[in-house]
Amino acid sequence: MDPSTNSPVTSVPSLELKTRRAQFQTQASTVDTRRRHAVCVRRAFKKYGPKKNPNVILDGLNMTVPKGTIYGLLGASGCGKTTLLSCIVGRRRLNSGEIWVLGGRPGSKGSGVPGPRVGYMPQEIALYGEFSIRETFIYFGWIAGMTTEQVDSKLDFLLKFLELPSESRFVKNLSGGQQRRVSFAAALLADPELLILDEPTVGVDPVLRKSIWDHLVHITKDGNKTIIITTHYIEETRQAGIIGLMRGGKFLAEESPKRLMEMHRLDTLEEVFLKLSKRQNMGLRRRSSILSSVTGVLPEATPDDEMSGEFGDNVSISSRRKSIVVTEEQIAAELPPEEEGNSSFKMLDPKHMKALIWKNFLWMWRNVGIMAFIIGLPVLQIILFCVSIGKDPVGLTLAIVNNELNNSMDRCIPSVGCDSTRLSCRFLHHLEKRTVQFLPCDTDDEARHAITKGWAWAAISFPSNYSESLQNRINDGANADEASVAFSDMNVVMDMSNQQIGQLLQRDLLYSYQDFAKDFIGACNYSEKLATLPVNFKTPIYGTKEPNFTDFAAPGVILTIIFFLSVALTSGAMLLERNEGLLERCLVSGVTGTEILFGQVVTQFMVMTGQTVMVLIFAFAVFNVTCEGDLVLVTILTILTGLCGMCFGFVVACSCDNERSATYMAMGSFLPIVMLCGIIWPIEGMHPVLRYISFILPLTKSTESFRSMLARGWTISEATVYEGFIATFIWIIVFLTIAILLLKFKKG
């Protein structure tokens, strides 16, 4: 009773407080338990989408790896071992569930995972074949924060321990087993806390395999190192502290090898695995104690006793799971320090950048032939363009029907002075200077037949009284009779199936006639102006009176060459590293996607700058492409366009899974850019809808800017010029941002 109110005291609030406190303590105990282990996977569920694989890869999987032990992850190919390891090192995400590695979630602030706290050996060799063994160690050592002296000191031990050849041997010249040993050594190099080895003993002889296992057991004796190892050789994991038997994305058992064989009364682990696999196929399930799932304290196991995990995965009861008392100070000491700020936006690590840039330049140095081809390819392309594009066609055949000479071209001798005879021959003499060839024909039908058969591009027919009629037309002017006007015309029939050739032939015919008329009229003491149209074209403000297609197309062609070669260069380099497992290994080692991109930018930028300089030298100095503007601005815009192409290449590499899809994506973007960016045809001649689309493409504004600087001599103060620079900068930022986001969020 409450003495002040004489009423009974209720205990409900106290009960609620105790319940909440108990729940909190249970949650805290769960977290602390996970932090005490090297790896703790709970209720992990992951499956690929329908585009990749309709099968479930991980299904309700629980896994616990105590610190200071060797954990053998066993199972057939395709059961999900590599997928699980990718989730542990933070390279893939679970659909549900959680993973704790070294006291934190992979990828969280201060976890060190991915990073130097984890040594990772993937299934692939994941090494640079052009590097020597020592150079390989230096690269991975620098990434882990080691100095060159530390790498060299560790190198001697690893060479002897793994029976590797001389440190100067190139990786590509090693046997398959030796390459796997080098890959294994790279994982051991930085002495990580957690070592994850994906089938390290494949292709290794039994003696060396035993030596490797003895070393793994030795480095875990002090309890500071933890190892997760996958292998096809089930029996070799007898030295592991714990093994997890995995099948079809589920755990069949998780126990020490000796305990497993005792529980199932079998002599080999292979027999145990076979027995559990058969039991899984039969669908046998047993319930575990509710108390054990809450408190973590399990009852004593009978030989065949098992507990049922989430989603029906069978996990053997372990006698090793005991109640462990850990103080708060010990837990705090095990946790890594929290990093300041957001890790997503941390600055570039100088050590990582040093290793990446050194690696990229070393690869280029070891592939001098490939780099010479890459630098020389744009030069070859600009040479082919300047030699083959924009020049007037020569040797075109014209069918001639000269009724004035009874079709006898042998007697076609041009007249001189004011002689009004054989004026048709006089015209043909001027026309012949245009490097055309004549095909004499007897009749107009024969000339038309020559055009029909493709033997001639045009047919010219002169009337029999052509010279006399032309003389009358000149002398009488407006008073000339209709017959003189009609018979003073030469009749031309053309093949206009090729627009360029047809228009150029029309131009040659008109210019030749003007030259012929000026020559004849001037010789007869008439004013030469009578032979020209009453339109006087003055000297153009920009360009020449007879512009050529080379000057029009050169700006777009130069930018296109630099842009798409940069796309091919960067996307090829990135895809090569990713498909060989090098990119994944670097990311697990702690290198960020941003660092990888900027490392590629620095090295590829040097190559692209060399390409740009060579292309501009050949275009302007060798082939005299018109350049009225500032050559410095022209060079800067070309380099920026190449940088834009590099960033687009990163997007291609990050969004495509293989070289084939990357090729399709690059080719698919090539044609729209070439056709819609005003490179081969003016934008003003396009459909209005396409005109608006062209304005948002990467090379449209830069091509206009480039052309204005070359042909008009405009400077950066003109809107057309600086808009090209601004648009290129914007596209660089857009492509680089997309590439970084793809690297960050597209895992696996």
Side-chain angles (χ1 to χ4, degrees):
M1 297 290 291
D2 188 338
S4 61
T5 60
N6 294 326
S7 60
V9 178
T10 178
S11 61
V12 173
S14 176
L15 179 61
E16 291 179 353
L17 179 62
K18 291 180 179 180
T19 303
R20 293 173 183 172
R21 183 177 298 170
Q23 291 174 349
F24 175 78
Q25 289 175 347
T26 301
Q27 295 172 356
S29 175
T30 302
V31 173
D32 291 344
T33 301
R34 292 170 183 173
R35 287 175 172 175
R36 287 196 301 269
H37 297 100
V39 176
C40 193
V41 183
R42 286 293 176 263
R43 307 175 74 178
F45 179 85
K46 178 177 179 61
K47 70 175 180 179
Y48 286 129
K51 291 183 179 180
K52 289 186 177 181
N53 190 344
N55 300 323
V56 174
I57 303 300
L58 303 179
D59 188 2
L61 184 146
N62 293 334
M63 173 183 178
T64 303
V65 182
K67 290 185 177 180
T69 62
I70 299 177
Y71 188 100
L73 186 59
L74 308 179
S77 297
C79 70
K81 302 189 301 296
T82 301
T83 300
L84 176 59
L85 296 184
S86 297
C87 295
I88 290 174
V89 297
R91 290 303 304 146
R92 288 181 180 172
R93 295 184 295 271
L94 298 173
N95 295 79
S96 63
E98 59 181 3
I99 297 178
W100 287 66
V101 181
L102 299 177
R105 291 183 176 88
S108 62
K109 292 191 300 180
S111 67
V113 181
R117 300 182 72 191
V118 176
Y120 178 59
M121 176 187 173
Q123 260 186 337
E124 304 88 355
I125 298 298
L127 299 173
Y128 295 93
E130 296 81 6
F131 291 8
S132 67
I133 296 177
R134 181 176 181 272
E135 290 164 347
T136 301
F137 284 12
I138 288 176
Y139 171 64
F140 288 107
W142 283 357
I143 287 180
M146 301 173 66
T147 64
T148 306
E149 292 74 17
Q150 291 173 329
V151 172
D152 287 334
S153 63
K154 199 68 178 290
L155 174 64
D156 295 333
F157 164 73
L158 292 173
L159 290 178
K160 295 177 182 177
F161 165 62
L162 295 173
E163 300 178 7
L164 292 172
S166 171
E167 63 182 39
S168 60
R169 285 278 297 275
F170 290 113
V171 172
K172 63 182 179 182
N173 296 329
L174 302 177
S175 65
Q178 289 174 331
Q179 289 178 348
R180 292 200 67 82
R181 278 180 270 160
V182 173
S183 181
F184 176 49
L188 294 173
L189 183 64
D191 202 21
E193 300 175 46
L194 174 63
L195 193 60
I196 298 179
L197 309 174
D198 199 353
E199 300 186 6
T201 56
V202 172
V204 177
D205 64 86
V207 176
L208 184 57
R209 188 184 309 155
K210 182 180 183 304
S211 176
I212 290 174
W213 271 97
D214 291 342
H215 180 72
L216 297 180
V217 172
H218 174 73
I219 63 177
T220 55
K221 279 185 176 180
D222 57 2
N224 295 326
K225 301 285 187 301
T226 306
I227 298 173
I228 301 177
I229 182 171
T230 69
T231 179
H232 287 300
Y233 308 113
I234 297 180
E235 289 303 317
E236 77 175 3
T237 57
R238 286 175 179 264
Q239 298 186 70
I242 309 167
I243 61 172
L245 300 180
M246 194 172 181
R247 184 168 183 261
K250 300 179 180 180
F251 262 18
L252 303 177
E254 186 184 46
E255 186 55 85
S256 68
K258 182 178 179 181
R259 179 67 174 158
L260 268 178
M261 290 185 290
E262 290 176 353
M263 291 170 59
H264 294 279
R265 299 187 180 93
L266 295 172
D267 297 328
T268 65
L269 291 174
E270 290 186 356
E271 292 175 329
V272 173
F273 186 76
L274 180 61
K275 177 181 178 180
L276 293 176
S277 298
K278 290 180 179 179
R279 184 170 296 178
Q280 184 192 40
N281 292 339
M282 295 173 61
L284 296 178
R285 300 290 186 269
R286 291 189 179 184
R287 287 188 177 182
S288 61
S289 170
I290 298 177
L291 178 63
S292 65
S293 65
V294 175
T295 63
V297 180
L298 304 178
E300 291 297 325
T302 61
D304 285 334
D305 200 4
E306 292 178 343
M307 58 176 282
S308 177
E310 295 290 336
F311 300 95
D313 56 311
N314 298 326
V315 183
S316 299
I317 295 177
S318 173
S319 59
R320 62 178 168 81
R321 296 180 181 176
K322 301 175 181 178
S323 179
I324 304 175
V325 179
V326 181
T327 64
E328 294 183 2
E329 291 77 5
Q330 290 173 323
I331 296 174
E334 292 175 353
L335 291 175
E338 294 290 332
E339 292 182 356
E340 295 292 335
N342 193 334
S343 61
S344 300
F345 300 96
K346 64 181 181 180
M347 297 295 291
L348 302 177
D349 190 329
K351 295 179 181 178
H352 291 171
M353 294 305 300
K354 172 187 174 183
L356 291 170
I357 294 174
W358 175 81
K359 177 261 297 182
N360 292 336
F361 276 117
L362 182 60
W363 185 91
M364 292 179 183
W365 177 254
R366 292 287 161 75
N367 293 271
V368 177
I370 295 177
M371 296 310 301
F373 174 77
I374 290 173
I375 295 176
L377 184 59
V379 175
L380 177 62
Q381 290 179 330
I382 196 64
I383 291 174
L384 291 176
F385 165 74
C386 293
V387 171
S388 60
I389 304 297
K391 299 296 185 297
D392 292 346
V394 296
L396 300 178
T397 302
L398 303 180
I400 306 298
V401 181
N402 196 342
N403 295 308
E404 196 174 30
L405 300 175
N406 296 324
N407 302 320
S408 177
M409 294 296 292
D410 295 337
R411 297 185 292 107
C412 192
I413 301 174
S415 59
V416 294
C418 196
D419 185 359
S420 61
T421 61
R422 299 189 303 276
L423 293 180
S424 59
C425 294
R426 196 165 184 171
F427 165 75
L428 292 176
H429 175 69
H430 284 279
L431 180 60
E432 197 172 18
K433 296 178 181 178
R434 298 281 175 173
T435 63
V436 296
Q437 296 179 356
F438 297 144
L439 176 65
C441 297
D442 295 332
T443 63
D444 292 345
D445 291 338
E446 184 180 342
R448 285 177 172 271
H449 181 72
I451 297 176
T452 303
K453 291 297 183 179
W455 300 336
W457 287 97
I460 304 175
S461 176
F462 295 96
S464 58
N465 57 344
Y466 175 76
S467 297
E468 180 183 354
S469 300
L470 183 59
Q471 181 67 42
N472 293 336
R473 185 172 183 175
I474 294 173
N475 292 333
D476 297 340
N479 298 322
D481 58 273
E482 293 296 331
S484 297
V485 172
F487 289 111
S488 62
D489 287 341
M490 67 179 76
N491 299 313
V492 181
V493 180
M494 301 190 65
D495 176 4
M496 292 296 292
S497 60
N498 189 312
Q499 183 187 25
Q500 292 293 332
I501 290 180
Q503 290 181 347
L504 288 172
L505 269 179
Q506 288 179 342
R507 185 200 67 180
D508 288 345
L509 289 172
L510 291 175
Y511 286 171
S512 297
Y513 190 84
Q514 281 188 343
D515 294 340
F516 152 72
K518 288 179 181 180
D519 178 34
F520 177 66
I521 290 177
C524 294
N525 296 321
Y526 290 105
S527 175
E528 292 183 356
K529 292 184 178 181
L530 296 175
T532 60
L533 293 173
V535 179
N536 188 12
F537 286 96
K538 298 291 186 180
T539 302
I541 297 177
Y542 300 117
T544 61
K545 285 187 176 181
E546 295 185 22
N548 59 73
F549 187 75
T550 302
D551 287 340
F552 171 79
V557 170
I558 291 173
L559 295 184
T560 303
I561 290 173
I562 297 299
F563 182 86
F564 279 100
L565 281 179
S566 298
V567 172
L569 186 63
T570 53
S571 61
M574 292 286 289
L575 284 171
L576 176 67
E577 292 198 357
R578 191 175 71 179
N579 293 341
E580 293 185 359
L582 292 163
L583 181 62
E584 185 80 3
R585 187 166 196 165
C586 291
L587 291 172
V588 173
S589 299
V591 179
T592 65
T594 306
E595 291 169 342
I596 291 175
L597 286 182
F598 277 95
Q600 289 285 350
V601 166
V602 171
T603 51
Q604 306 296 354
F605 183 82
M606 301 291 291
V607 178
M608 184 268 298
T609 302
Q611 291 176 328
T612 300
V613 172
M614 296 294 292
V615 166
L616 295 182
I617 288 175
F618 273 83
F620 300 135
V622 178
F623 291 100
N624 297 319
V625 174
T626 302
C627 180
E628 301 292 342
D630 187 352
L631 192 57
V632 175
L633 286 178
V634 170
T635 305
I636 293 174
L637 182 58
T638 309
I639 291 176
L640 288 177
T641 303
L643 183 59
C644 183
M646 289 169 53
C647 297
F648 180 59
F650 292 140
V651 174
V652 172
C654 295
S655 57
C656 298
D657 295 326
N658 51 57
E659 290 86 350
R660 178 181 296 178
S661 57
T663 301
Y664 291 157
M665 183 174 179
M667 290 178 61
S669 61
F670 174 78
L671 287 179
I673 287 177
V674 170
M675 291 188 295
L676 300 180
C677 289
I679 295 171
I680 60 176
W681 197 255
I683 297 176
E684 292 77 7
M686 298 179 185
H687 189 278
V689 175
L690 294 179
R691 199 179 305 169
Y692 286 111
I693 294 175
S694 68
F695 287 142
I696 62 174
L697 295 178
L699 294 184
T700 302
K701 288 295 184 181
S702 58
T703 299
E704 291 181 1
S705 174
F706 203 86
R707 187 172 289 137
S708 295
M709 288 189 290
L710 293 187
R712 298 172 176 171
W714 284 1
T715 63
I716 195 69
S717 60
E718 299 291 338
T720 304
V721 176
Y722 66 68
E723 284 175 0
F725 284 84
I726 294 175
T728 306
F729 271 117
I730 292 175
W731 275 109
I732 290 172
I733 295 172
V734 169
F735 286 143
L736 199 58
T737 303
I738 294 174
I740 293 174
L741 293 177
L742 286 173
L743 265 181
K744 183 174 180 60
F745 295 108
K746 187 181 178 183
K747 298 182 179 181

